[in-house]
Short mmCIF file of all heavy atoms in Angstrom, two decimals:
data_model
loop_
_atom_site.label_atom_id
_atom_site.label_comp_id
_atom_site.label_asym_id
_atom_site.label_seq_id
_atom_site.Cartn_x
_atom_site.Cartn_y
_atom_site.Cartn_z
N LEU A 608 -0.38 -3.56 7.64
CA LEU A 608 0.91 -3.29 8.24
C LEU A 608 1.00 -1.91 8.92
O LEU A 608 1.61 -1.81 9.97
CB LEU A 608 1.96 -3.36 7.13
CG LEU A 608 2.34 -4.76 6.66
CD1 LEU A 608 3.21 -4.73 5.39
CD2 LEU A 608 2.98 -5.61 7.71
N ARG A 609 0.26 -0.95 8.39
CA ARG A 609 0.27 0.39 9.03
C ARG A 609 -0.44 0.34 10.32
O ARG A 609 0.00 0.93 11.27
CB ARG A 609 -0.42 1.33 8.03
CG ARG A 609 0.50 1.71 6.87
CD ARG A 609 -0.32 2.62 5.90
NE ARG A 609 0.51 3.02 4.77
CZ ARG A 609 -0.02 3.72 3.72
NH1 ARG A 609 -1.34 3.94 3.65
NH2 ARG A 609 0.81 4.06 2.74
N ASP A 610 -1.62 -0.34 10.39
CA ASP A 610 -2.42 -0.31 11.59
C ASP A 610 -3.22 -1.58 11.67
O ASP A 610 -4.34 -1.72 11.20
CB ASP A 610 -3.38 0.88 11.64
CG ASP A 610 -4.16 1.00 12.91
OD1 ASP A 610 -3.80 0.27 13.87
OD2 ASP A 610 -5.10 1.81 12.97
N SER A 611 -2.56 -2.64 12.23
CA SER A 611 -3.17 -3.92 12.27
C SER A 611 -4.34 -4.01 13.27
O SER A 611 -5.28 -4.81 13.09
CB SER A 611 -2.18 -5.03 12.59
OG SER A 611 -1.56 -4.76 13.86
N SER A 612 -4.32 -3.18 14.32
CA SER A 612 -5.32 -3.20 15.31
C SER A 612 -6.66 -2.85 14.68
O SER A 612 -7.73 -3.29 15.22
CB SER A 612 -5.00 -2.23 16.48
OG SER A 612 -4.87 -0.95 16.01
N ARG A 613 -6.67 -1.99 13.73
CA ARG A 613 -8.02 -1.63 13.08
C ARG A 613 -8.70 -2.80 12.49
O ARG A 613 -9.93 -2.91 12.51
CB ARG A 613 -7.74 -0.54 12.04
CG ARG A 613 -8.96 0.00 11.40
CD ARG A 613 -8.70 1.28 10.70
NE ARG A 613 -7.68 1.17 9.68
CZ ARG A 613 -7.98 0.97 8.35
NH1 ARG A 613 -9.23 0.83 7.98
NH2 ARG A 613 -7.00 0.78 7.49
N PHE A 614 -7.92 -3.75 11.98
CA PHE A 614 -8.39 -4.97 11.37
C PHE A 614 -8.85 -5.99 12.42
O PHE A 614 -9.91 -6.60 12.30
CB PHE A 614 -7.47 -5.54 10.37
CG PHE A 614 -7.29 -4.79 9.10
CD1 PHE A 614 -6.48 -3.64 9.06
CD2 PHE A 614 -8.00 -5.17 7.94
CE1 PHE A 614 -6.30 -2.94 7.89
CE2 PHE A 614 -7.87 -4.41 6.76
CZ PHE A 614 -6.97 -3.31 6.72
N THR A 615 -7.96 -6.14 13.39
CA THR A 615 -8.24 -7.16 14.40
C THR A 615 -9.47 -6.82 15.31
O THR A 615 -10.18 -7.71 15.73
CB THR A 615 -7.04 -7.36 15.29
OG1 THR A 615 -6.64 -6.10 15.90
CG2 THR A 615 -5.92 -7.94 14.53
N ARG A 616 -9.67 -5.53 15.49
CA ARG A 616 -10.86 -5.11 16.25
C ARG A 616 -12.11 -5.52 15.57
O ARG A 616 -13.22 -5.85 16.19
CB ARG A 616 -10.89 -3.59 16.54
CG ARG A 616 -9.90 -3.07 17.53
CD ARG A 616 -10.20 -1.70 17.99
NE ARG A 616 -10.35 -0.78 16.85
CZ ARG A 616 -9.34 -0.05 16.40
NH1 ARG A 616 -8.12 -0.11 17.02
NH2 ARG A 616 -9.49 0.75 15.38
N LEU A 617 -12.13 -5.54 14.23
CA LEU A 617 -13.34 -5.87 13.49
C LEU A 617 -13.35 -7.34 13.16
O LEU A 617 -14.28 -7.80 12.47
CB LEU A 617 -13.36 -5.03 12.22
CG LEU A 617 -13.43 -3.54 12.33
CD1 LEU A 617 -13.28 -2.89 11.00
CD2 LEU A 617 -14.70 -3.10 13.02
N GLY A 618 -12.40 -8.14 13.66
CA GLY A 618 -12.36 -9.57 13.39
C GLY A 618 -11.87 -9.90 12.06
O GLY A 618 -12.04 -11.02 11.63
N GLY A 619 -11.21 -8.94 11.39
CA GLY A 619 -10.66 -9.27 10.05
C GLY A 619 -9.46 -10.17 10.12
O GLY A 619 -8.71 -10.21 11.08
N ARG A 620 -9.18 -10.82 9.02
CA ARG A 620 -8.02 -11.74 8.90
C ARG A 620 -7.29 -11.43 7.65
O ARG A 620 -7.79 -11.51 6.59
CB ARG A 620 -8.45 -13.21 8.95
CG ARG A 620 -7.27 -14.21 8.94
CD ARG A 620 -7.82 -15.62 8.91
NE ARG A 620 -8.42 -15.88 7.53
CZ ARG A 620 -7.79 -16.20 6.44
NH1 ARG A 620 -6.49 -16.28 6.49
NH2 ARG A 620 -8.46 -16.43 5.38
N ILE A 621 -6.06 -11.07 7.77
CA ILE A 621 -5.17 -10.79 6.66
C ILE A 621 -4.37 -12.02 6.39
O ILE A 621 -3.80 -12.66 7.28
CB ILE A 621 -4.25 -9.54 6.96
CG1 ILE A 621 -5.19 -8.29 7.14
CG2 ILE A 621 -3.29 -9.39 5.78
CD1 ILE A 621 -6.01 -7.92 5.95
N PRO A 622 -4.15 -12.42 5.11
CA PRO A 622 -3.29 -13.52 4.76
C PRO A 622 -1.88 -13.42 5.32
O PRO A 622 -1.34 -12.25 5.32
CB PRO A 622 -3.31 -13.55 3.26
CG PRO A 622 -4.52 -12.84 2.87
CD PRO A 622 -4.79 -11.81 3.90
N LYS A 623 -1.29 -14.44 5.77
CA LYS A 623 0.05 -14.41 6.25
C LYS A 623 1.03 -14.34 5.12
O LYS A 623 2.21 -13.92 5.35
CB LYS A 623 0.32 -15.63 7.15
CG LYS A 623 -0.59 -15.72 8.39
CD LYS A 623 -0.32 -16.96 9.09
CE LYS A 623 -1.25 -17.04 10.33
NZ LYS A 623 -1.13 -18.32 11.05
N GLY A 624 0.67 -14.85 3.92
CA GLY A 624 1.64 -14.87 2.80
C GLY A 624 1.03 -14.36 1.54
O GLY A 624 -0.12 -14.56 1.23
N VAL A 625 1.87 -13.62 0.79
CA VAL A 625 1.48 -13.08 -0.48
C VAL A 625 2.50 -13.65 -1.45
O VAL A 625 3.74 -13.53 -1.30
CB VAL A 625 1.53 -11.57 -0.53
CG1 VAL A 625 1.30 -11.01 -1.93
CG2 VAL A 625 0.53 -11.01 0.48
N LEU A 626 2.05 -14.25 -2.63
CA LEU A 626 2.85 -14.84 -3.63
C LEU A 626 2.81 -13.97 -4.85
O LEU A 626 1.82 -13.75 -5.43
CB LEU A 626 2.40 -16.32 -3.93
CG LEU A 626 3.22 -17.02 -4.93
CD1 LEU A 626 4.68 -17.32 -4.38
CD2 LEU A 626 2.60 -18.35 -5.36
N LEU A 627 4.07 -13.50 -5.23
CA LEU A 627 4.20 -12.71 -6.47
C LEU A 627 4.80 -13.68 -7.55
O LEU A 627 5.81 -14.33 -7.38
CB LEU A 627 5.23 -11.56 -6.29
CG LEU A 627 4.88 -10.66 -5.11
CD1 LEU A 627 5.95 -9.60 -4.95
CD2 LEU A 627 3.47 -10.02 -5.30
N GLN A 628 4.09 -13.81 -8.62
CA GLN A 628 4.57 -14.72 -9.71
C GLN A 628 4.68 -14.01 -11.02
O GLN A 628 3.84 -13.10 -11.32
CB GLN A 628 3.67 -15.93 -9.85
CG GLN A 628 2.17 -15.59 -10.19
CD GLN A 628 1.29 -16.83 -10.18
OE1 GLN A 628 1.11 -17.43 -9.16
NE2 GLN A 628 0.68 -17.13 -11.34
N GLY A 629 5.63 -14.34 -11.82
CA GLY A 629 5.81 -13.72 -13.09
C GLY A 629 7.21 -14.06 -13.66
O GLY A 629 8.12 -14.51 -12.88
N PRO A 630 7.38 -13.81 -14.95
CA PRO A 630 8.76 -14.15 -15.56
C PRO A 630 9.84 -13.30 -14.88
O PRO A 630 9.63 -12.25 -14.24
CB PRO A 630 8.56 -13.75 -17.03
CG PRO A 630 7.09 -13.69 -17.24
CD PRO A 630 6.47 -13.30 -15.92
N PRO A 631 11.12 -13.71 -15.04
CA PRO A 631 12.18 -12.91 -14.46
C PRO A 631 12.24 -11.55 -15.07
O PRO A 631 11.99 -11.28 -16.27
CB PRO A 631 13.44 -13.77 -14.89
CG PRO A 631 12.96 -15.13 -15.12
CD PRO A 631 11.58 -15.01 -15.69
N GLY A 632 12.60 -10.55 -14.21
CA GLY A 632 12.74 -9.19 -14.66
C GLY A 632 11.42 -8.39 -14.72
O GLY A 632 11.46 -7.28 -15.28
N THR A 633 10.39 -8.90 -14.14
CA THR A 633 9.07 -8.16 -14.24
C THR A 633 8.85 -7.35 -12.96
O THR A 633 7.76 -6.76 -12.82
CB THR A 633 7.92 -9.16 -14.47
OG1 THR A 633 8.00 -10.17 -13.41
CG2 THR A 633 7.99 -9.81 -15.79
N GLY A 634 9.83 -7.24 -12.02
CA GLY A 634 9.66 -6.37 -10.89
C GLY A 634 9.08 -6.88 -9.68
O GLY A 634 8.50 -6.13 -8.81
N LYS A 635 9.22 -8.21 -9.46
CA LYS A 635 8.64 -8.80 -8.25
C LYS A 635 9.32 -8.30 -6.97
O LYS A 635 8.71 -7.96 -5.97
CB LYS A 635 8.72 -10.34 -8.31
CG LYS A 635 7.98 -10.90 -9.48
CD LYS A 635 7.96 -12.40 -9.48
CE LYS A 635 9.33 -12.99 -9.77
NZ LYS A 635 9.84 -12.76 -11.16
N THR A 636 10.69 -8.26 -7.05
CA THR A 636 11.39 -7.83 -5.87
C THR A 636 11.12 -6.31 -5.61
O THR A 636 10.96 -5.88 -4.45
CB THR A 636 12.93 -8.04 -6.10
OG1 THR A 636 13.18 -9.35 -6.36
CG2 THR A 636 13.76 -7.55 -4.92
N LEU A 637 11.07 -5.53 -6.66
CA LEU A 637 10.74 -4.11 -6.54
C LEU A 637 9.42 -3.90 -5.93
O LEU A 637 9.16 -2.99 -5.01
CB LEU A 637 10.77 -3.42 -7.90
CG LEU A 637 10.55 -1.83 -7.92
CD1 LEU A 637 11.67 -1.16 -7.14
CD2 LEU A 637 10.44 -1.39 -9.36
N LEU A 638 8.39 -4.71 -6.28
CA LEU A 638 7.06 -4.61 -5.73
C LEU A 638 7.06 -4.97 -4.27
O LEU A 638 6.37 -4.34 -3.43
CB LEU A 638 6.11 -5.49 -6.47
CG LEU A 638 4.62 -5.46 -6.11
CD1 LEU A 638 4.09 -4.05 -6.30
CD2 LEU A 638 3.77 -6.46 -6.96
N ALA A 639 7.79 -5.96 -3.87
CA ALA A 639 7.89 -6.35 -2.47
C ALA A 639 8.52 -5.25 -1.69
O ALA A 639 8.05 -4.91 -0.49
CB ALA A 639 8.71 -7.61 -2.30
N LYS A 640 9.53 -4.59 -2.16
CA LYS A 640 10.11 -3.40 -1.43
C LYS A 640 9.15 -2.30 -1.35
O LYS A 640 9.12 -1.56 -0.37
CB LYS A 640 11.42 -2.95 -2.17
CG LYS A 640 12.57 -3.93 -2.04
CD LYS A 640 13.81 -3.33 -2.77
CE LYS A 640 15.00 -4.31 -2.63
NZ LYS A 640 16.23 -3.75 -3.32
N ALA A 641 8.37 -2.10 -2.43
CA ALA A 641 7.38 -1.04 -2.41
C ALA A 641 6.33 -1.29 -1.33
O ALA A 641 5.80 -0.26 -0.72
CB ALA A 641 6.71 -0.93 -3.76
N ILE A 642 5.99 -2.50 -1.08
CA ILE A 642 4.99 -2.80 0.00
C ILE A 642 5.57 -2.31 1.31
O ILE A 642 4.88 -1.64 2.11
CB ILE A 642 4.65 -4.28 0.04
CG1 ILE A 642 4.03 -4.76 -1.21
CG2 ILE A 642 3.74 -4.57 1.25
CD1 ILE A 642 3.86 -6.31 -1.32
N ALA A 643 6.83 -2.63 1.56
CA ALA A 643 7.46 -2.22 2.83
C ALA A 643 7.57 -0.66 2.82
O ALA A 643 7.46 -0.07 3.93
CB ALA A 643 8.85 -2.87 2.97
N GLY A 644 7.91 -0.11 1.68
CA GLY A 644 8.06 1.38 1.64
C GLY A 644 6.77 2.14 1.87
O GLY A 644 6.73 3.12 2.61
N GLU A 645 5.66 1.58 1.25
CA GLU A 645 4.35 2.20 1.52
C GLU A 645 3.96 2.08 2.98
O GLU A 645 3.35 3.05 3.53
CB GLU A 645 3.32 1.57 0.62
CG GLU A 645 3.45 1.93 -0.86
CD GLU A 645 2.97 3.31 -1.16
OE1 GLU A 645 2.23 3.92 -0.31
OE2 GLU A 645 3.40 3.87 -2.17
#
C-alpha cells in the first residue's frame, strides 16, 4: 500500500483480499485499522 510500484516492477502479485478470523472481541477491526494506519 505504501509503494505498489516497487512490487509491480518486479512482477510481484499481492492478494486482493485478506481475511481476519477469530472469536468476537479479539481485535479484528483494530487490526484492520492498524493496517491503514501503518
Side-chain angles (χ1 to χ4, degrees):
L608 287 168
R609 286 174 177 170
D610 185 10
S611 60
S612 60
R613 183 162 60 93
F614 287 81
T615 56
R616 283 197 306 267
L617 300 174
R620 185 184 65 84
I621 297 297
K623 298 175 182 177
V625 176
L626 183 65
L627 306 177
Q628 61 185 60
T633 52
K635 298 185 292 295
T636 302
L637 182 65
L638 185 58
K640 290 182 178 180
I642 298 172
E645 288 286 339

